[in-house]
Amino acid sequence: MPKPALIQNEFDERLLQLLISRIEDYAIYMLDPNGYILSWNQGGQNIKGYTTDEVVGRHISMFYTTQDRRKNLPNEELASALKNNIHESQGWRVRKDGSVFWADVVMTTLYDDDGYLKGFAKITRDITERKKREDQKTLVNAELERRVKANTEKIIARERRFRALIENSYDGISLLDRYWNVLYRSKSAARINGWSNEERAAEKFEHLIHPDDLGIVRDLFRRVLAQPDKPFVGTYRTLHKLGHYIWIECQLNNLLNDPDVEAIVCNFRDVTGRILADEQIREKTGQISNILESITDGFIALDKNYCYTYANHRVGEMIGIDAANMIGKCVWEMFPDAVNSDTFKAFKRAMENQEYVTNEDYYAPLGLWQENHIYPSPDGLSVFIRDVTESKLAQASMQQSESNLRSVFENTDLAIVLFDTETRLLSFNNNARSLADKYFKTELRIGESAFYYCLPERVDDVQRIFRKLRRKSPIVYEVSYPSAPGQLQWFEVRWVNVLNRQNQPIGVILTLKDITEKKQADFERDHITTDLIQRNKDLEQFTYIVSHNLRQPVANIKGLSDILSDEMAADDPNAPALQALGISVSNLDKVIIDLNHILQVNSQANDTLEMVSLPELIEEVKAGNSQLIAKHHAKIHCDFDAASKLNNLKTYLYSIFQNLIVNSIKYRRPGVDPVINISSKIAANKACLYFEDNGKGIDLQRNGHQLFGLYKRFDLSVEGKGMGLFMVKTQVERLGGKISVESEVNKGSTFKLEFPLK
């Protein structure tokens, strides 16, 4: 009979197998020591799809993927279980239909009572859904990590870009605390005002503000502190590291209460160029306005809708309206009777064709004859208006009286020509016609300008005559024309104003009387005198041309050149040529101005002598050059005990003193403050003045023979024209004195002036 213990063991084993076979969620089966399946339960069939007959006796490698079998994973897991008594793992397993699932496997070794290996117990659970959830969670976590990393990189990149933007911004950026201490400054801040962060931190904010703007800045800061989160903008001057002041435009925003900022944000930029440009524009606008208000013609500016944008006071005088009340009003609404008039059509043509137009027109409601010069631009019209009413009335009056004078004209030995006040020819007699044919080879024509018939060398004289006629009448002189080879025909020329009943000029009568015989009789006697007079006239004419007629066209050319330069685009191919023209005209204008200064010496030499106080004269020179003296820390010492007054021309002495003092300051030694000692002495009935300085000195051996020459310069490091010493020598000699110099390079110069006491 079997032993009770053996029977009990068999019973227990069968009971266990029965229980195992009923488990449906776990595959529980036995393996022999070599891994072949000995038993199978319902859970195994549910999970893997095999029946008991299909798996018993087969090796467990049938459940592994091809890849795992190649790796010999089944046998490695058996070996691990044998070694460690248990082996736990997870991995992909294959069902009967070829699909895979994620298995949680526990493999345990089994021994008999004698300690011999019986095989292995293997429990497999399908945790595919959990695996999917974990994989999904892993994927989600990985995606979250990726997104966090990407967002972090973006934030870092944005921060770097933002910092780069701030550091390289054209504007300066600073963060300030409530006491205006700097917490942060961008690199551009140092570029704008030159101060490094360390240098800026060492300076108090108030010390960097221009004294005149300090009150404005303090008020701005008070408002910023009082109103958080509201931006305030201010413009003021601040000290640059190089010592000059620059204009900055500053925007302040109080974000002290913002936990992310906790500072006052200051954005600022250098607007010095804009401020100076605005000042220049205002200055030029003021100059233009002054010019337009000072001219004798009326001037108006109209926009595209023919509305007044500017009108000078002369226009108001013409029409009897305050010019200020015209601004903004349409010209045709103010003067409806002018619609479709010649002026209306001229304005339209100038605007539409963008071309210069001139016209004359009569406006009956005001009884006004006007001469219009219309200049268009894309923004509107600029119109110069001249009141020619008197001229028109005079012309009509003279035409009415012409028939009465005709008999007189034709029954006299005089050549007679009648002009209006604008120098246009109104009438003439036969004698005048004959002279024009003989000497001008042209025919007199009604309406032609008097200057058309002038010889080129007489144009200036005739212009001067018409100007003088406004002040006096008659003007009489003599003139000659060649009548035959070596012979002259002389005429007495008389210009007489024609006045109306109101004693106002309405025209000019020119008469020419043949005085050839008289002139020939007096020629020998007056030959020398006439020659001297003619030379003097030529000199006066040259002086006048240089000082007036020549400079006026040059000034006009310069003005037109500046206007064209302002309107011309920088890339215009004509820009270089126009710039060269402007430079040439400016140089010519400077030469003319210099010549005027020289020519004025002759006229000033006739000024009245006066007793000039030398100490007072020095103070006047110092006052006129105070900025130059202060800028270069110049010291001027005077000793006039020997002679404190001179009976002389004050204008000359002032010019001489100023040129010598300014030269001593200009040609100072680098790093040495200029010192000028001026003293006087009396010697041999002469007053001697000494100007001693500690400047660069002059190489007299090399340049002494040209020292007082016109436009002679020897030190090109200093701006100048080379006129100062020339003018000094000229003026000293005009006063009957002389000038000499002693000098040594890098030690200074001494100029000695000698003037006669009488």
Side-chain angles (χ1 to χ4, degrees), residues 14-24 28 41:
R14 289 178 181 176
L15 180 59
L16 178 60
Q17 290 178 353
L18 179 62
L19 291 173
I20 291 174
S21 65
R22 298 294 182 182
I23 296 175
E24 298 182 354
I28 303 174
N41 73 335

Side-chain angles (χ1 to χ4, degrees), residues 163 311 608 673 705 728:
R163 181 173 293 275
T608 304
D673 291 341
H705 64 291
V728 169

Side-chain angles (χ1 to χ4, degrees), residues 435 438-439 479-483 487-491 514 516:
L435 289 179
K438 182 177 181 180
Y439 294 112
V479 68
S480 64
Y481 296 98
S483 59
Q487 297 181 6
L488 296 175
Q489 187 172 5
W490 285 88
F491 295 92
D514 189 344
T516 303

Side-chain angles (χ1 to χ4, degrees), residues 183-240:
L183 305 176
Y184 168 80
R185 292 176 80 236
S186 65
K187 293 180 179 179
S188 52
R191 174 183 56 77
I192 291 174
N193 55 33
W195 300 100
S196 67
N197 290 345
E198 294 77 11
E199 293 168 336
R200 171 61 183 84
E203 294 288 340
K204 289 187 177 181
F205 189 81
E206 292 84 352
H207 294 170
L208 301 178
I209 305 301
H210 192 284
D212 294 344
D213 298 339
L214 192 55
I216 298 174
V217 175
R218 285 174 174 167
D219 181 65
L220 174 64
F221 287 174
R222 281 194 294 268
R223 287 185 287 143
V224 170
L225 285 175
Q227 301 182 59
D229 299 323
K230 181 179 179 180
F232 290 87
V233 178
T235 304
Y236 54 88
R237 286 163 289 183
T238 183
L239 184 65
H240 194 278

Side-chain angles (χ1 to χ4, degrees), residues 360-518:
E360 281 188 359
D361 199 3
Y362 178 69
Y363 188 65
L366 296 175
L368 176 67
W369 276 97
Q370 60 192 44
E371 178 182 284
N372 300 315
H373 296 268
I374 310 162
Y375 299 88
S377 72
D379 297 324
L381 299 177
S382 298
V383 186
F384 290 88
I385 305 171
R386 179 173 298 173
D387 184 352
V388 294
T389 304
E390 292 184 1
S391 174
K392 287 291 184 181
L393 295 176
Q395 182 178 348
S397 176
M398 294 186 71
Q399 288 173 348
Q400 291 176 359
S401 61
E402 181 180 0
S403 59
N404 299 327
L405 297 174
R406 177 58 58 185
S407 60
V408 178
F409 281 11
E410 300 301 341
N411 291 282
T412 181
D413 61 348
L414 300 176
I416 304 175
V417 182
L418 183 62
F419 299 97
D420 65 12
T421 55
E422 301 297 325
T423 75
R424 291 187 289 261
L425 195 152
L426 294 178
S427 184
F428 52 88
N429 65 358
N430 287 326
N431 291 339
R433 180 187 288 109
S434 299
L435 289 179
D437 291 340
K438 182 177 181 180
Y439 294 112
F440 301 110
K441 308 300 181 184
T442 186
E443 180 182 354
L444 295 179
R445 293 190 297 272
I446 302 299
E448 191 67 75
S449 172
F451 302 107
Y452 176 78
Y453 302 101
C454 289
L455 295 175
E457 62 270 18
R458 297 193 185 276
V459 171
D460 292 334
D461 292 332
V462 176
Q463 287 177 337
R464 185 166 62 252
I465 287 169
F466 272 96
R467 287 196 295 270
K468 287 183 177 180
L469 280 171
R470 299 171 185 171
R471 302 189 301 271
K472 69 176 183 176
S473 177
I475 295 176
V476 182
Y477 60 91
E478 296 175 353
V479 68
S480 64
Y481 296 98
S483 59
Q487 297 181 6
L488 296 175
Q489 187 172 5
W490 285 88
F491 295 92
E492 180 186 79
V493 182
R494 183 179 295 268
W495 300 82
V496 181
N497 265 334
V498 180
L499 305 178
N500 61 13
R501 293 180 180 179
Q502 288 77 33
N503 205 33
Q504 296 176 336
I506 59 175
V508 174
I509 293 178
L510 167 65
T511 64
L512 292 91
K513 181 179 180 180
D514 189 344
I515 57 170
T516 303
E517 293 182 1
K518 176 179 178 297

Side-chain angles (χ1 to χ4, degrees), residues 649-686:
L649 295 180
K650 185 175 181 179
T651 55
Y652 270 24
L653 288 179
Y654 182 92
S655 176
I656 293 168
F657 277 44
Q658 173 167 275
N659 275 315
L660 292 177
I661 290 173
V662 170
N663 273 5
S664 294
I665 297 175
K666 286 173 57 178
Y667 297 98
R668 64 194 178 278
R669 276 185 288 163
V672 178
D673 291 341
V675 177
I676 306 169
N677 295 308
I678 307 173
S679 60
S680 64
K681 291 183 179 179
I682 300 295
N685 293 323
K686 292 182 180 180

